[in-house]
């Protein structure tokens, strides 16, 4: 399902972040060392191969709330934006740090003149951020930034399960209409 937010198309789909061939950049739910991990980081690094770690190694470590951009070897996208989300209950303030991830990712995309970016639900897997609360933070951040985006015209949320997709759709709609 798609929404319009200040002229930006926001899609919410169920799928795999490594399978978004029509997007300029995909976002990685990274670890601080920017290495292979589980979940999203595992899927991205497996698809990209060792070339990606060669590129990320000199950029690591990063702090919660930060983001860095690399090329996207062996993936159908031009770039990967690696975001380190907060570990829920450890990195505080969690909501501010999560919002910072989305904000920094959008800034990097704008600086590179990208048109489209696909996000996973950062921090909601191994890092334990409650899904609904994370969706609210992400929705508010995207909405707050949407008006000032110049090159970015399309955002896509890629949720692993249909349940998470429905939740994100409902949360984004309620934040949009608030
Ligand atoms: N495509 C889209 N979404 C996915 C995929 C996929 N291929 N795989 C999992 N998800 P996580 P985090 C969903 O754990 O919480 C890693 O090991 C998943 O269901 O990938 O930020 C890193 O190395 C969940 O809702 O990221 C870090 O150490 C969401 O993506 C740590 O986990 C995020 O789950 C990062 O933890």
């Amino acid at each position: 399902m798609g929404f319009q937010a200040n002229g930006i198309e926001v899609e919410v789909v169920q799928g795999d972040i490594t399978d978004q061939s029509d997007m300029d950049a995909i976002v990685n739910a990274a670890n601080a060392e920017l290495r292979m991990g589980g979940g999203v980081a595992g899927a991205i690094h497996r698809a990209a191969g060792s070339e990606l770690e060669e590129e990320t190694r000199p950029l690591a470590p990063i702090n919660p709330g930060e983001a860095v951009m690399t090329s996207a070897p062996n993936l159908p996208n031009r770039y990967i934006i690696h975001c380190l989300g907060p570990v829920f209950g450890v990195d505080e303030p969690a909501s501010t740090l999560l919002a910072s991830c989305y904000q920094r990712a959008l800034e990097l995309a704008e600086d590179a003149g990208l048109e489209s970016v696909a996000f996973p639900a950062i921090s909601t897997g191994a890092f334990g951020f409650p899904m609904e609360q994370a969706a609210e933070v992400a929705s508010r951040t995207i909405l707050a930034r949407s008006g000032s985006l110049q090159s970015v015209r399309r955002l896509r949320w890629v949720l692993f399960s249909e349940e998470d997709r429905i939740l994100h759709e409902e949360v984004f709609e309620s934040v949009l209409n608030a």
Side-chain angles (χ1 to χ4, degrees):
M1 179 160 172
F3 299 94
Q4 289 289 328
N6 295 314
I8 307 298
E9 186 188 328
V10 180
E11 288 174 277
V12 186
V13 305
Q14 187 265 322
D16 188 313
I17 196 71
T18 62
D19 193 22
Q20 307 301 318
S21 58
D22 59 335
M23 304 304 276
D24 289 335
I26 55 170
V27 172
N28 183 13
N31 48 68
E33 297 303 323
L34 303 174
R35 301 187 65 166
M36 165 83 85
V40 169
I44 289 179
H45 278 270
R46 259 194 312 281
S50 59
E51 265 173 79
L52 181 57
E53 280 200 6
E54 280 164 34
E55 223 183 305
T56 55
R57 198 172 299 124
L59 305 174
I62 63 169
N63 295 310
E66 289 184 349
V68 295
M69 189 154 80
T70 65
S71 73
N74 305 309
L75 282 155
N77 318 96
R78 290 166 63 196
Y79 298 100
I80 302 169
I81 299 171
H82 305 262
C83 292
L84 179 61
V87 177
F88 196 74
V90 175
D91 299 316
E92 297 289 350
S95 293
T96 307
L97 292 170
L98 185 62
S100 167
C101 285
Y102 282 88
Q103 202 169 304
R104 301 286 283 276
L106 290 174
E107 278 165 20
L108 287 171
E110 280 285 297
D111 289 349
L114 307 188
E115 190 260 342
S116 51
V117 185
F119 288 90
I122 300 167
S123 279
T124 64
F127 284 178
F129 209 117
M131 189 68 71
E132 186 166 0
Q133 198 182 328
E136 280 167 12
V137 170
S139 296
R140 277 196 227 103
T141 309
I142 287 173
L143 209 54
R145 298 283 140 186
S146 58
S148 54
L149 296 172
Q150 305 271 315
S151 67
V152 174
R153 306 319 293 162
R154 285 192 299 142
L155 296 175
R156 178 179 296 160
W157 244 323
V158 182
L159 291 318
F160 218 30
S161 72
E162 183 59 9
E163 189 189 339
D164 293 344
R165 184 195 67 77
I166 291 167
L167 176 72
H168 276 73
E169 204 172 270
E170 287 172 356
V171 168
F172 191 78
E173 192 164 25
S174 71
V175 170
L176 187 63
N177 296 326

